[in-house]
Amino acid sequence: MKSVLALVAVAAAILASVAYWHSIPGYEVEPGYITVEEAFQGRQSDLMVDVGGRVVRLLKDDRESAQQRFVINLLNGQNLLIVHDLGSADRVPVSRDDEVRVRGEYEWTETGGMVHWTHRDIGPNRRHGWIDHGGNRYQ
Protein backbone atom coordinates (compact mmCIF):
# COMPACT_ATOMS: atom_id res chain seq x y z
CA MET A 1 0.00 0.00 0.00
CA LYS A 2 2.85 2.41 0.85
CA SER A 3 4.46 1.79 -2.56
CA VAL A 4 1.18 2.59 -4.35
CA LEU A 5 0.83 5.84 -2.39
CA ALA A 6 4.45 6.73 -3.14
CA LEU A 7 3.87 6.04 -6.85
CA VAL A 8 0.75 8.24 -6.83
CA ALA A 9 2.68 11.02 -5.08
CA VAL A 10 5.50 10.84 -7.65
CA ALA A 11 3.01 10.88 -10.54
CA ALA A 12 1.23 13.89 -9.03
CA ALA A 13 4.54 15.73 -8.62
CA ILE A 14 5.47 15.04 -12.25
CA LEU A 15 2.09 16.25 -13.52
CA ALA A 16 2.35 19.39 -11.39
CA SER A 17 5.82 20.20 -12.74
CA VAL A 18 4.67 19.64 -16.34
CA ALA A 19 1.65 21.91 -15.77
CA TYR A 20 3.95 24.57 -14.29
CA TRP A 21 6.41 24.29 -17.17
CA HIS A 22 3.60 24.68 -19.71
CA SER A 23 2.45 27.86 -17.95
CA ILE A 24 5.84 29.60 -18.28
CA PRO A 25 5.61 32.47 -20.81
CA GLY A 26 7.49 31.44 -23.93
CA TYR A 27 6.64 27.77 -23.61
CA GLU A 28 3.47 28.18 -25.64
CA VAL A 29 4.02 28.07 -29.41
CA GLU A 30 1.79 30.03 -31.76
CA PRO A 31 1.56 28.29 -35.15
CA GLY A 32 1.13 29.93 -38.54
CA TYR A 33 1.98 33.07 -40.42
CA ILE A 34 -1.12 34.91 -39.18
CA THR A 35 0.37 34.96 -35.69
CA VAL A 36 3.57 36.49 -37.09
CA GLU A 37 1.56 39.01 -39.13
CA GLU A 38 -0.42 40.07 -36.04
CA ALA A 39 2.76 40.29 -33.94
CA PHE A 40 4.37 42.47 -36.62
CA GLN A 41 1.36 44.78 -36.82
CA GLY A 42 1.17 44.98 -33.02
CA ARG A 43 4.93 45.44 -32.62
CA GLN A 44 5.07 42.39 -30.33
CA SER A 45 8.21 40.46 -29.44
CA ASP A 46 9.19 37.46 -27.31
CA LEU A 47 6.62 35.16 -28.90
CA MET A 48 7.42 31.52 -29.74
CA VAL A 49 6.21 30.84 -33.28
CA ASP A 50 6.11 27.94 -35.74
CA VAL A 51 6.03 29.06 -39.39
CA GLY A 52 6.91 27.82 -42.84
CA GLY A 53 8.17 29.72 -45.82
CA ARG A 54 10.39 29.88 -48.88
CA VAL A 55 14.00 31.06 -48.64
CA VAL A 56 14.29 34.30 -50.64
CA ARG A 57 17.67 35.61 -49.53
CA LEU A 58 20.86 34.20 -48.06
CA LEU A 59 22.88 36.58 -45.91
CA LYS A 60 26.47 36.40 -44.72
CA ASP A 61 26.99 34.76 -41.35
CA ASP A 62 27.38 37.05 -38.38
CA ARG A 63 30.89 35.89 -37.49
CA GLU A 64 31.04 37.73 -34.15
CA SER A 65 28.10 35.79 -32.75
CA ALA A 66 28.41 32.69 -35.01
CA GLN A 67 24.94 32.99 -36.50
CA GLN A 68 23.62 31.80 -39.85
CA ARG A 69 21.16 34.28 -41.35
CA PHE A 70 18.63 34.02 -44.15
CA VAL A 71 15.26 35.50 -45.08
CA ILE A 72 12.08 33.54 -45.73
CA ASN A 73 8.87 34.69 -47.36
CA LEU A 74 5.64 33.67 -45.64
CA LEU A 75 2.36 32.84 -47.38
CA ASN A 76 1.07 36.37 -46.71
CA GLY A 77 4.09 37.91 -48.50
CA GLN A 78 5.81 39.04 -45.30
CA ASN A 79 9.56 38.54 -45.13
CA LEU A 80 11.08 37.16 -41.95
CA LEU A 81 14.76 37.11 -40.99
CA ILE A 82 15.90 33.78 -39.55
CA VAL A 83 18.91 33.91 -37.21
CA HIS A 84 20.26 30.44 -36.41
CA ASP A 85 22.92 30.04 -33.68
CA LEU A 86 25.79 27.96 -35.07
CA GLY A 87 27.30 27.64 -31.60
CA SER A 88 24.27 25.63 -30.48
CA ALA A 89 23.17 23.86 -33.67
CA ASP A 90 24.44 22.64 -37.03
CA ARG A 91 24.31 24.83 -40.11
CA VAL A 92 21.17 24.41 -42.20
CA PRO A 93 22.18 23.76 -45.84
CA VAL A 94 19.57 26.11 -47.31
CA SER A 95 19.53 27.53 -50.81
CA ARG A 96 17.34 30.16 -52.38
CA ASP A 97 13.79 28.87 -53.10
CA ASP A 98 14.07 26.04 -50.54
CA GLU A 99 11.07 25.47 -48.28
CA VAL A 100 11.73 25.50 -44.54
CA ARG A 101 9.71 25.31 -41.37
CA VAL A 102 11.00 27.24 -38.37
CA ARG A 103 10.21 27.23 -34.67
CA GLY A 104 11.75 29.95 -32.55
CA GLU A 105 11.24 33.25 -30.79
CA TYR A 106 9.79 36.11 -32.86
CA GLU A 107 11.21 39.60 -32.35
CA TRP A 108 9.64 42.65 -33.97
CA THR A 109 11.68 44.72 -36.43
CA GLU A 110 10.62 47.41 -38.90
CA THR A 111 11.35 45.10 -41.82
CA GLY A 112 9.01 42.26 -40.86
CA GLY A 113 10.60 40.72 -37.82
CA MET A 114 13.10 38.03 -37.04
CA VAL A 115 13.07 34.58 -35.50
CA HIS A 116 15.94 33.38 -33.32
CA TRP A 117 16.34 30.66 -30.62
CA THR A 118 16.01 28.09 -33.44
CA HIS A 119 17.92 25.53 -31.38
CA ARG A 120 17.55 23.47 -28.22
CA ASP A 121 17.14 25.57 -25.10
CA ILE A 122 19.40 24.45 -22.27
CA GLY A 123 16.94 25.81 -19.68
CA PRO A 124 13.25 25.24 -19.06
CA ASN A 125 12.21 28.75 -20.16
CA ARG A 126 10.92 27.96 -23.64
CA ARG A 127 10.22 25.13 -26.03
CA HIS A 128 13.13 24.00 -28.13
CA GLY A 129 13.46 25.76 -31.44
CA TRP A 130 14.44 24.12 -34.71
CA ILE A 131 14.54 24.44 -38.48
CA ASP A 132 13.14 21.68 -40.69
CA HIS A 133 14.73 21.50 -44.12
CA GLY A 134 14.87 18.69 -46.67
CA GLY A 135 13.48 16.11 -44.24
CA ASN A 136 16.03 16.94 -41.54
CA ARG A 137 15.63 18.87 -38.31
CA TYR A 138 18.42 21.25 -37.25
CA GLN A 139 18.42 22.18 -33.57
Side-chain angles (χ1 to χ4, degrees):
M1 183 66 166
K2 286 183 179 182
S3 63
V4 171
L5 289 175
L7 183 60
V8 169
V10 168
I14 290 170
L15 287 174
S17 67
V18 168
Y20 169 74
W21 192 27
H22 281 267
S23 69
I24 296 171
Y27 189 84
E28 304 84 13
V29 176
E30 301 294 331
Y33 69 89
I34 293 174
T35 300
V36 173
E37 182 176 37
E38 289 172 352
F40 175 67
Q41 290 172 355
R43 295 179 175 229
Q44 286 183 281
S45 290
D46 306 320
L47 179 69
M48 286 298 285
V49 298
D50 181 340
V51 295
R54 182 176 53 86
V55 177
V56 293
R57 189 170 176 204
L58 301 173
L59 303 171
K60 290 183 180 181
D61 289 354
D62 180 341
R63 292 182 188 244
E64 281 186 33
S65 56
Q67 294 176 329
Q68 179 181 10
R69 302 177 310 142
F70 56 93
V71 178
I72 65 172
N73 185 261
L74 306 178
L75 286 175
N76 64 348
Q78 180 176 344
N79 285 338
L80 191 59
L81 173 63
I82 307 301
V83 178
H84 186 61
D85 186 348
L86 297 174
S88 300
D90 291 336
R91 174 180 297 282
V92 183
V94 293
S95 298
R96 193 178 163 126
D97 294 324
D98 286 356
E99 295 290 326
V100 295
R101 186 159 174 194
V102 179
R103 175 183 284 169
E105 186 174 276
Y106 175 82
E107 298 290 335
W108 184 88
T109 69
E110 290 182 6
T111 57
M114 65 171 269
V115 173
H116 63 137
W117 288 100
T118 57
H119 55 83
R120 288 192 175 274
D121 187 14
I122 58 171
N125 296 332
R126 65 178 53 83
R127 280 190 185 255
H128 297 303
W130 41 254
I131 299 175
D132 282 347
H133 172 264
N136 295 309
R137 178 162 286 180
Y138 299 84
Q139 57 185 20

